[in-house]
Amino acid sequence: MALFSRRKNDSSDLTPAAEAVSEGTAAPAGEEVPTAADTDVAPVSEVPAADVPQVNISMTSFGGLGSAPTPAPPATLRPEKPEEVVLPLAPSDPPTNLETISGLRDNGVLRDALAALGETPTGAELLGVTRQLMQGHVYLRVRGDARAQIEAGEALQLGIVSDGDRQFMLAYSSGRSLRDAFQKDNDANTSAFAQPAHAVINNVLKGNLAGLIIDNESAPARAVIPVDVLTRAMSHVEEDMKLKTILCEPRTEDTKQKVLDALRDARLWVAVGVASEKDGEKQYGIAEAHTRDGRRLLQLFTHPLEVVALQRTEQPMPFGFDKLKSAFLEHGNLAGVVIDPAGPSIRLTRDELATVLAEA
């Protein structure tokens, strides 16, 4: 049966609806758009939570998050050997097709990460979904009119699915996944609204839930993120993941300037690993990338998951803006940085960084 859980606005991180599915939404020819009364939770008997792919990330592969690697001499920059990485990496540029249903903005990178899942997703594929959940918005479904309930300050009956004694919150990455949900259950007394992904995750963590199910009715493009993974991931994020969100938005003429402005206050990470070993002593280094013409780029990351996603031996280590400035002062042949190499990514040259580093 379909379940809804009543959650009070004043005890959650949910903000006023940023975007609601409404009666006036226009639809492409031949497509039916869910309206404010057209969304609900799929019956558990039809889509059991236990059948949804689980994020299978061991604590050892997630280990090292937020902590420095084994104590070692100060890390130095080291060249990175070119290697082929067989992973579900995102393209360098973010998607530009952000409406699978006219009038509803998708979380493009999250939608595409889910679409890349196979019938039996790998841990790396599901990790890709988790890291793309760290930015942007998702849609929630509510019993009744979500907009009216929010404006009236009433408690929200959010979509929850049960698996035995475990409960999972339901979220949706796109207009298409909302349409899939409506077509699955066809309950006319529900609505949907958009919320920042970090606010939804915080509600899961505060609500004694077992995790978050994304796009439950869009198999195989669906996934479950267990609460322990969400807890670890959220312990290392800024409140709004501003820098990563900018990277995941369609590129404009001022994208690089937005990135530069966000760098000042962003939580940054680098990938640290063994650069060399002699007489039993290990020398640690910070991962670089080399362009085809030999330029050196420091690899920066917006979250430890971005390091883990590359599935290399390095461990994530915090790297404050002051350390970034020191790196460029001490290494005159650094040509720039590449942020989030697993994608969407962006490159900034030394010249482009000069002004913001001088102001630090």
Side-chain angles (χ1 to χ4, degrees), residues 289-334:
H290 285 177
T291 63
R292 291 182 179 178
D293 58 5
R295 288 174 294 163
R296 297 171 59 198
L297 301 174
L298 176 64
Q299 295 186 28
L300 294 178
F301 303 86
T302 59
H303 190 279
L305 277 175
E306 298 293 330
V307 179
V308 178
L310 295 175
Q311 290 199 332
R312 302 183 311 208
T313 58
E314 294 96 348
Q315 292 291 315
M317 184 179 77
F319 199 73
F321 194 77
D322 56 335
K323 294 182 179 179
L324 178 62
K325 182 177 181 179
S326 296
F328 276 83
L329 288 174
E330 296 170 8
H331 299 270
N333 59 348
L334 267 181

Side-chain angles (χ1 to χ4, degrees), residues 87-103:
L87 287 171
L89 304 182
S92 296
D93 290 333
T96 56
N97 56 324
L98 296 183
E99 290 189 2
T100 48
I101 295 294
S102 180

